[in-house]
Amino acid sequence: MFNISKEFAPPFKLIAPFFISGVLFYLIATGALLFYPASFDFLDLSIAGWVHLFLLGYVMMVIFGAMAQLVPVVLETGHFSVDWFYVIFPLLLFGTILLVLGFWFDPILISFGGILVLASMIIFAIDVFLTIRKTELKSITVQAVKISNIFLLIGILSGFLMALTLSGFWSVNIEDVIKAHVFAVLGGYVMITIYGISLVLLPMFGLAHGFYERPVHIALRLMVGSVVLVLIGAFLGWSIFRVMGYILAFLSTGAYLYQIFLIYKARIRKERDIWSKSMFAGYGFFIYGIVLGFIYLLSGGSLPNILHTSAWSLFVFFAFLINGHLYKIIPFLVWFHRFSALVGKQKVPMLHEMIPKKQAEYQFWFSLAGSVLVALGLIFENDILLKSGASFLFAGALFLVVSTRWMLQYRSENG
């Protein structure tokens, strides 16, 4: 499990709010899907509201909480200032709420939410950069953490420019800047962070050793080139750069998936637990989304339902990846902070005993059924299928909230 000393470990009370808020935002996002049609335009502000609710409130909130714990593990040193996460959390929480309310009800709120989110991410990035200066490690994961945070700042700054424009305080070309914003955040931050952290978490939880790592190095370089080309193309209006960037992104994800296959082949643990099921489902949707994205590119952008389903598959990939890891990370954190000091003094629980297995299974199957139905609803532009899928997803999210609460409040017979 995580190689971290008590000296470097952040307080449990600091990390828990990120996970609690993250799963609650996930619950709200799945419920909100019930109010959306199967056919839409990405430039619609209400769509932007849901996307930010999902990506900022759920994906980024959980990633920030996880990184508070994982950065000391990856860099083998303590945070420059772990106390800054006490500031990051409320800024990200209230910034996300204001942004979503602004997109849904009143654009004037967007810029105020954007300021809070921008401040939280600048503080987060500064802590990461100053922490990296304390280590001499040069691993691919360290490189990924460093590069992804540079793209995070670019993505958030471009998003803030759009927020000012939507609120009437600035004027930029939304259609051009949004491409830079989306690619810098999703490709530059989220995907590169996943590339780097995958090399730590997947071998750790799958007990894989001695696998070839070259593919993920290639994937990282291709994704960096991809994001840079899309940024240049978006800001200068050169469409050929954007197309070249999209092609590099496809090649990058192909190399990354080959790396995942190598880790899978080298794994020792064959158990089909909730984590491994979630990884299979998540990467299955990821491959499906890449194929659809490639078809959309070949169509010359004439098939919006294919693009919508491709984007949905990417979001489902994030959801299964995050939810699956919550069943590993939260029990470990609870065990580490509540029971590690009792080892050798009294009986302590095993990690697998700290997972609510039935609730986790219900969460997985409801979420899988809902994800498939929503994907069908989007590709056939059928509202009934989409809302049916949203209902299943909401039920799965309820089980996730119950499971998270159960794991966070776990007490053994002796502890």
Side-chain angles (χ1 to χ4, degrees):
M1 192 53 76
F2 301 124
N3 179 24
I4 184 169
S5 70
K6 282 279 187 183
E7 181 185 357
F8 297 154
F12 184 57
K13 65 179 181 181
L14 181 152
I15 299 173
F18 286 92
F19 293 147
I20 295 169
S21 300
V23 296
L24 288 176
F25 275 122
Y26 178 69
L27 177 70
I28 297 169
T30 55
L33 272 180
L34 289 164
F35 301 97
Y36 282 91
S39 179
F40 55 84
D41 187 333
F42 274 126
L43 293 179
D44 186 325
L45 287 186
S46 68
I47 297 297
W50 189 89
V51 170
H52 284 81
L53 175 64
F54 184 87
L55 291 179
L56 277 178
Y58 166 57
V59 175
M60 299 300 280
M61 187 69 80
V62 176
I63 286 180
F64 275 24
M67 293 304 283
Q69 180 72 43
L70 288 174
V71 163
V73 176
V74 171
L75 303 182
E76 298 180 7
T77 185
H79 282 279
F80 174 79
S81 176
V82 73
D83 290 340
W84 287 2
F85 281 82
Y86 289 112
V87 179
I88 291 171
F89 173 70
L91 288 174
L92 183 58
L93 175 70
F94 292 112
T96 301
I97 293 172
L98 284 176
L99 262 181
V100 174
L101 292 177
F103 281 121
W104 281 352
F105 303 112
D106 188 351
I108 194 71
L109 297 175
I110 296 175
S111 58
F112 298 110
I115 290 174
L116 297 182
V117 171
L118 177 66
S120 72
M121 296 197 173
I122 287 176
I123 295 170
F124 174 81
I126 290 174
D127 174 72
V128 171
F129 288 132
L130 293 177
T131 305
I132 288 175
R133 290 184 61 183
K134 296 167 60 181
T135 183
E136 296 180 355
L137 294 176
K138 305 292 183 186
S139 68
I140 183 71
T141 304
V142 175
Q143 292 178 43
V145 170
K146 188 188 301 182
I147 294 169
S148 64
N149 278 277
I150 294 172
F151 284 133
L152 174 66
L153 290 179
I154 295 173
I156 296 304
L157 284 171
S158 58
F160 186 57
L161 287 178
M162 288 193 295
L164 290 176
T165 300
L166 290 171
S167 298
F169 299 123
W170 200 266
S171 178
V172 296
N173 187 321
I174 296 288
E175 289 195 29
D176 284 338
V177 177
I178 195 172
K179 296 182 177 70
H181 174 62
V182 170
F183 230 74
V185 173
L186 290 184
Y189 180 71
V190 178
M191 286 308 300
I192 288 179
T193 296
I194 290 175
Y195 285 4
I197 298 302
S198 293
L199 264 286
V200 176
L201 296 184
L202 296 183
M204 181 191 303
F205 296 137
L207 296 181
H209 306 285
F211 51 85
Y212 187 53
E213 293 187 9
R214 185 66 178 165
V216 78
H217 287 257
I218 296 172
L220 177 62
R221 290 172 185 167
L222 287 172
M223 186 56 79
V224 170
S226 163
V227 177
V228 170
L229 284 174
V230 172
L231 289 176
I232 294 173
F235 284 115
L236 298 182
W238 296 346
S239 59
I240 185 64
F241 273 58
R242 290 205 305 270
V243 174
M244 290 169 60
Y246 298 152
I247 293 171
L248 288 186
F250 283 116
L251 295 174
S252 171
T253 53
Y256 170 67
L257 285 170
Y258 181 57
Q259 180 68 67
I260 298 304
F261 174 72
L262 294 179
I263 295 174
Y264 173 76
K265 293 288 286 182
R267 80 197 190 288
I268 296 173
R269 179 173 287 159
K270 309 291 184 183
E271 182 185 0
R272 288 284 183 269
D273 59 7
I274 191 65
W275 174 80
S276 64
K277 289 178 184 174
S278 300
M279 295 306 103
F280 275 113
Y283 282 104
F285 270 98
F286 188 42
I287 294 170
Y288 182 59
I290 291 171
V291 171
L292 290 181
F294 192 65
I295 293 172
Y296 176 75
L297 198 62
L298 289 178
S299 76
S302 62
L303 300 171
N305 59 327
I306 297 294
L307 176 64
H308 297 162
T309 314
S310 175
W312 171 252
S313 300
L314 185 63
F315 289 174
V316 174
F317 165 60
F318 295 154
F320 276 106
L321 204 66
I322 288 172
N323 294 344
H325 279 96
L326 286 179
Y327 290 110
K328 292 286 188 183
I329 294 173
I330 293 178
F332 170 74
L333 294 178
V334 172
W335 187 93
F336 186 78
H337 291 279
R338 198 167 289 159
F339 300 109
S340 62
L342 304 176
V343 174
K345 300 175 184 175
Q346 64 181 59
K347 183 181 178 182
V348 296
M350 303 291 286
L351 289 178
H352 69 85
E353 298 171 351
M354 301 172 66
I355 299 173
K357 294 183 177 57
K358 283 188 178 179
Q359 291 96 318
E361 287 289 331
Y362 292 145
Q363 179 268 316
F364 173 79
W365 290 110
F366 272 106
S367 300
L368 182 61
S371 300
V372 171
L373 285 171
V374 170
L376 291 173
L378 290 172
I379 205 161
F380 294 116
E381 298 186 335
N382 184 303
D383 288 341
I384 295 175
L385 282 173
L386 185 141
K387 293 183 191 310
S388 300
S391 302
F392 276 92
L393 278 170
F394 184 72
L398 279 174
F399 281 112
L400 178 67
V401 172
V402 172
S403 298
T404 302
R405 182 175 181 271
W406 191 92
M407 291 187 287
L408 288 170
Q409 294 185 340
Y410 184 88
R411 293 283 192 281
S412 72
E413 295 177 355
N414 302 312

